[in-house]
Amino acid sequence: MEAHPVCPICGTPIVPGAPQGMCPECLLRAGFETKSGHKSTDGKSASVPMAAEEVATFFPQLEIMELAGQGGMGAVYKVREREPNRIAALKFLFPEKQASPQFAERFEREARMLAALTHPHIVTVYDFGKVNKRCYLLMEYVDGLTLRQLFRARKLSPRETLEIVPRLCEALQYAHEQGVVHRDIKPENILLDKNGRVKVADFGIAKMLNLPGNLTLTGSMDVVGTPLYMAPEQIENPQVVDCRADIYSLGVVFYEMLTGELPLGKFLPPSQKIEIDPRLDEVVIHALEKEPDRRYQQAGQMKTDVETILQTMRQREESRARTGPAPAARTARPAALVAEAQAAAARVALPPKPARRRSQASRSFGITIAIAAGVIVVFTVLLLAAFHLLRSK
Amino acid sequence: MFATTQWSVVLTAGRGDIPQAQDALEKLCRTYWYPLYAYVRRRGYSPADAEDLTQEFFAWLLERKWLGKADPQRGRFRSFLLTSISNFLANEWDKARTQKRGGGKVISLERDEAENRLTWQPLSYCIPESSFTPEQSFEWRWALTLLDQVMGRLSVEFEQEGKKELFDALKPCLLGESSTQPYATLATKLGMTEGAIKVTVHRLRQRYRQLLREEIAGTVAAPEEVEEELRYLFAVLTRR
């Protein structure tokens, strides 16, 4: 199966003949910005973020530290709240995304539901509202990496994948029990903080913005999502999806974590691509069933299955550790790890064929993090250390 | 900034035999043949017919008889081409065929490559083109071609300064820092300081934006239309 390169910004597949192998849409968007990089050329095209100083004029209670990211729907700023004193992420939607008369009502309703979600693996919404005709969400700031960025640094081991997936299942199960469907599960919305904690971002944002519904509108400029991770029924009839659509998307992410590829077309089971417990094939394929009725009906069921396999894996490792030399754990020698992560980063920095590069770092509206230059290597190491800790438990 | 544009040269020259106008038109045709070819194919013509037809169309275009007709305000080259090819298919194609102009190849069409690009649809629901009308397909390919021109020019400029490797490493930064490696990593890799990387990226972006507007300016009738055309092309690319 051929791997399709996807845009690191918006996640859509890159077409052959794309200019220098880059996403044409994002490339053209970059053409709008002026020298400061924050303003549109004429003020009419609002799909460019405001400068931090400008945003500050609307939020006296916040210190706007920097523009942390932007996407099709709005921009994310790293901010400091004065009371309570904490770092947060401010999502500021572009005004043209809020033109529909139903938007305000939908935003209010959904934001209220999101703010009610309290779970260790879900990014918390602190506050929401509207200033200067723009809706905003104030959210937990996650200091770490997106799964997409982690993919780029290096391939995850099956073991690492199995540590992450049950936490995602937990987050989904909790949200589904509260009646919230995420609708846009993808690597850009899965965050890992520097302690290795997994957080799902942007619950329900897709519904709030009515994104999937707009996918079919010709000429609409509201599309930011990618159908790559969407369940078939979500593509066909986005208005009626339930929690099983999230389970499908999680299946796609799971497959990608294991194999580094997307399960497109007639895809091979993961065990035929990498050396893993063949029982994992069943889990992944069960999550990826095209018919929602044949899929896992609850994320919790998927979690149980994954954890059973993880348990076996742990036991094997323990018995191997007892009988033979310790496995060449990546966390055994921090210095070697740093070297490994740096090498991985360097390999991506100058790929032999940049135009065909597949997995790259991403910045999207859904990301509530800001990463200082260079910390990618450090965080990767910290993350691995966290896994090591988990393993030793 | 853009005193004259290629397209405005063609328009103002009218039917007068001005070499610059002919050169400008030929250059525009060489650059934007592919969207036209894609359009004709989408209209249902076979690859061979589409190639033939596109060549005939260019021959007709380069004769510039159309310029004699009233309307001096021809608008943008993009919309002019689309209207013209549509009329050409309806009225001129049969005539051209029976006359057998025998003009042969007017410009070089890489048909195999064009076909490869047209038939690539592994994810029909992800790639919008499959659901496009021929006109939308033309516009979508047009925007892609234009960006390709801009990036090509940018690449050549770096290459001429012996900085091809630098360009390849930094071009993802056009989309923003986090779309690529952190600047610090890039700096180590390229043997530069982080500050130097930032400055280079800043200049790269500025130059890109300048070239983008120049390229668009070449296809509109007046410089004032550049920003509007830029917005239009963005809408074309985000169309689903």
Side-chain angles (χ1 to χ4, degrees):
Chain A
M1 188 179 63
E2 192 193 348
H4 302 290
V6 296
C7 172
I9 302 290
C10 67
T12 52
I14 292 175
V15 291
Q20 298 272 331
M22 295 167 78
C23 169
E25 186 180 326
C26 294
L27 195 55
L28 198 57
R29 185 181 281 118
F32 277 109
E33 294 168 321
T34 57
K35 288 171 196 167
S36 71
H38 294 310
K39 279 229 171 185
S40 62
T41 46
D42 60 0
K44 286 178 192 168
S45 175
S47 289
V48 282
M50 280 188 207
E53 304 79 53
E54 200 177 340
V55 177
T57 60
F58 300 119
F59 297 95
Q61 74 278 26
L62 301 175
E63 177 196 338
I64 313 293
M65 297 165 78
E66 62 187 12
L67 175 69
Q70 69 174 98
M73 304 308 299
V76 183
Y77 300 84
K78 182 180 179 183
V79 303
R80 182 190 298 280
E81 276 190 281
R82 302 195 203 285
E83 188 60 46
N85 183 5
R86 65 181 169 193
I87 303 289
L90 174 73
K91 295 193 170 203
F92 210 25
L93 302 188
F94 293 138
E96 72 255 32
K97 307 300 172 194
Q98 303 157 37
S100 101
Q102 299 84 24
F103 181 86
E105 189 195 334
R106 192 170 61 234
F107 176 85
E108 171 91 16
R109 187 176 63 236
E110 294 298 319
R112 204 171 292 284
M113 283 184 85
L114 302 190
L117 294 180
T118 312
H119 191 273
H121 298 309
I122 294 177
V123 172
T124 309
V125 173
Y126 299 141
D127 189 18
F128 58 92
K130 202 169 186 180
V131 293
N132 192 35
K133 297 181 184 167
R134 291 181 179 213
C135 293
Y136 72 88
L137 286 163
L138 191 65
M139 313 178 87
E140 179 183 1
Y141 178 83
V142 179
D143 197 1
L145 293 173
T146 68
L147 194 54
R148 174 74 68 211
Q149 288 168 316
L150 201 63
F151 282 168
R152 191 198 48 184
R154 72 164 173 76
K155 197 172 175 313
L156 297 180
S157 72
R159 172 64 191 271
E160 288 159 350
T161 300
L162 294 198
E163 298 283 2
I164 293 172
V165 171
R167 287 157 180 77
L168 299 175
C169 292
E170 266 178 51
L172 287 182
Q173 178 67 35
Y174 167 80
H176 294 162
E177 282 167 7
Q178 311 303 310
V180 179
V181 180
H182 190 293
R183 290 165 178 258
D184 195 19
I185 290 286
K186 57 186 177 186
E188 288 79 1
N189 283 338
I190 297 168
L191 313 174
L192 293 108
D193 76 10
K194 54 187 177 183
N195 296 314
R197 281 186 295 247
V198 181
K199 299 260 182 190
V200 183
D202 284 353
F203 257 97
I205 299 280
K207 186 178 182 191
M208 180 187 286
L209 302 174
N210 209 18
L211 287 185
N214 281 348
L215 279 172
T216 54
L217 291 182
T218 305
S220 165
M221 289 176 66
D222 286 345
V223 179
V224 293
T226 165
L228 286 171
Y229 296 86
M230 274 186 198
E233 74 272 15
Q234 191 176 2
I235 292 167
E236 282 163 23
N237 197 354
Q239 303 306 333
V240 296
V241 297
D242 58 27
C243 67
R244 295 171 299 182
D246 282 350
I247 292 174
Y248 181 93
S249 304
L250 181 57
V252 180
V253 174
F254 196 179
Y255 187 92
E256 192 177 9
M257 288 167 89
L258 289 169
T259 67
E261 294 177 5
L262 292 167
L264 302 170
K266 214 174 174 187
F267 59 91
L268 290 173
S271 72
Q272 287 190 36
K273 300 192 76 71
I274 53 160
E275 199 179 323
I276 48 160
D277 189 327
R279 287 179 297 168
L280 271 175
D281 288 349
E282 286 171 37
V283 178
V284 174
I285 287 165
H286 196 182
L288 288 172
E289 286 284 0
K290 290 203 171 8
E291 286 294 324
D293 288 347
R294 295 168 63 97
R295 221 173 279 156
Y296 281 110
Q297 299 298 297
Q298 292 197 328
Q301 297 166 341
M302 184 168 164
K303 174 178 183 255
T304 309
D305 286 356
V306 176
E307 284 187 328
T308 306
I309 298 168
L310 177 63
Q311 193 56 35
T312 314
M313 201 182 256
R314 281 179 182 150
Q315 284 164 356
R316 275 192 203 139
E317 278 175 14
E318 278 166 20
S319 86
R320 215 178 299 146
R322 275 197 302 272
T323 54
R330 282 178 152 138
T331 46
R333 290 172 294 136
L337 262 180
V338 172
E340 181 209 4
Q342 278 174 333
R347 273 200 301 278
V348 189
L350 268 181
K353 287 184 181 174
R356 303 294 298 171
R357 191 170 65 194
R358 190 176 169 281
S359 286
Q360 304 173 55
S362 172
R363 176 178 62 179
S364 79
F365 170 66
I367 301 168
T368 59
I369 58 170
I371 298 158
V375 295
I376 183 168
V377 171
V378 177
F379 286 172
T380 307
V381 172
L382 287 167
L383 187 65
L384 289 164
F387 280 125
H388 180 59
L389 283 174
L390 279 168
R391 197 181 306 179
S392 56
K393 275 182 192 168
Chain B
M1 186 178 173
F2 316 108
T4 53
T5 74
Q6 288 164 357
W7 181 229
S8 66
V9 166
V10 176
L11 287 176
T12 47
R15 293 184 69 178
D17 191 15
I18 298 173
Q20 292 100 312
Q22 195 67 7
D23 287 352
L25 189 57
E26 276 185 36
K27 187 174 180 304
L28 284 169
C29 291
R30 273 200 306 276
T31 306
Y32 294 102
W33 67 269
Y34 182 64
L36 273 178
Y37 178 85
Y39 170 80
V40 177
R41 286 284 284 120
R42 291 260 159 199
R43 288 282 301 263
Y45 291 86
S46 70
D49 271 355
E51 182 179 1
D52 212 11
L53 219 151
T54 312
Q55 294 287 8
E56 291 289 357
F57 174 70
F58 282 134
W60 172 81
L61 202 64
L62 291 171
E63 283 172 12
R64 289 194 292 148
K65 287 181 183 162
W66 49 272
L67 272 166
K69 295 170 190 167
D71 185 15
Q73 180 60 302
R74 289 272 172 179
R76 293 164 201 180
F77 185 55
R78 173 179 53 73
S79 38
F80 163 77
L81 266 192
L82 190 54
T83 313
S84 302
I85 186 87
S86 170
N87 292 337
F88 185 80
L89 287 179
N91 308 317
E92 303 283 337
W93 172 227
D94 283 342
K95 246 188 280 175
R97 254 197 311 209
T98 45
Q99 283 173 2
K100 287 277 176 213
R101 281 173 222 263
K105 288 195 169 182
V106 180
I107 59 157
S108 166
L109 295 182
E110 291 150 28
R111 196 172 93 195
D112 290 345
E113 163 65 13
E115 282 300 310
N116 278 344
R117 276 197 265 164
L118 274 179
T119 51
W120 186 88
Q121 285 176 356
L123 296 159
S124 55
Y125 58 85
C126 298
I127 303 299
E129 198 188 9
S130 55
S131 60
F132 283 172
T133 63
E135 289 74 18
Q136 290 173 331
S137 193
F138 168 84
E139 291 183 328
W140 192 66
R141 291 285 171 188
W142 175 280
L144 251 52
T145 306
L146 185 133
L147 281 171
D148 196 44
Q149 284 293 309
V150 175
M151 291 303 286
R153 285 175 67 186
L154 200 55
S155 171
V156 166
E157 285 188 1
F158 272 76
E159 211 170 335
Q160 283 169 348
E161 289 176 31
K163 295 175 177 173
K164 180 74 168 64
E165 193 193 10
L166 184 69
F167 175 75
D168 286 341
L170 295 187
K171 70 185 179 190
C173 301
L174 278 172
L175 308 181
E177 185 185 358
S178 62
S179 72
T180 176
Q181 291 291 286
Y183 288 162
T185 313
L186 280 171
T188 314
K189 186 72 197 170
L190 295 166
M192 296 165 70
T193 65
E194 201 178 329
I197 292 277
K198 279 183 185 168
V199 170
T200 312
V201 169
H202 179 65
R203 287 182 185 151
L204 178 73
R205 284 193 190 135
Q206 272 186 304
R207 186 64 187 143
Y208 162 70
R209 286 170 192 147
Q210 199 179 355
L211 288 177
L212 177 65
R213 283 164 177 78
E214 275 181 23
E215 188 62 34
I216 292 176
T219 70
V220 294
E224 307 83 72
E225 294 172 10
V226 171
E227 293 300 327
E228 196 189 328
E229 176 72 352
L230 182 58
R231 280 196 297 278
Y232 186 83
L233 294 177
F234 184 69
V236 165
L237 285 178
T238 51
R239 180 187 281 156
R240 293 292 188 275

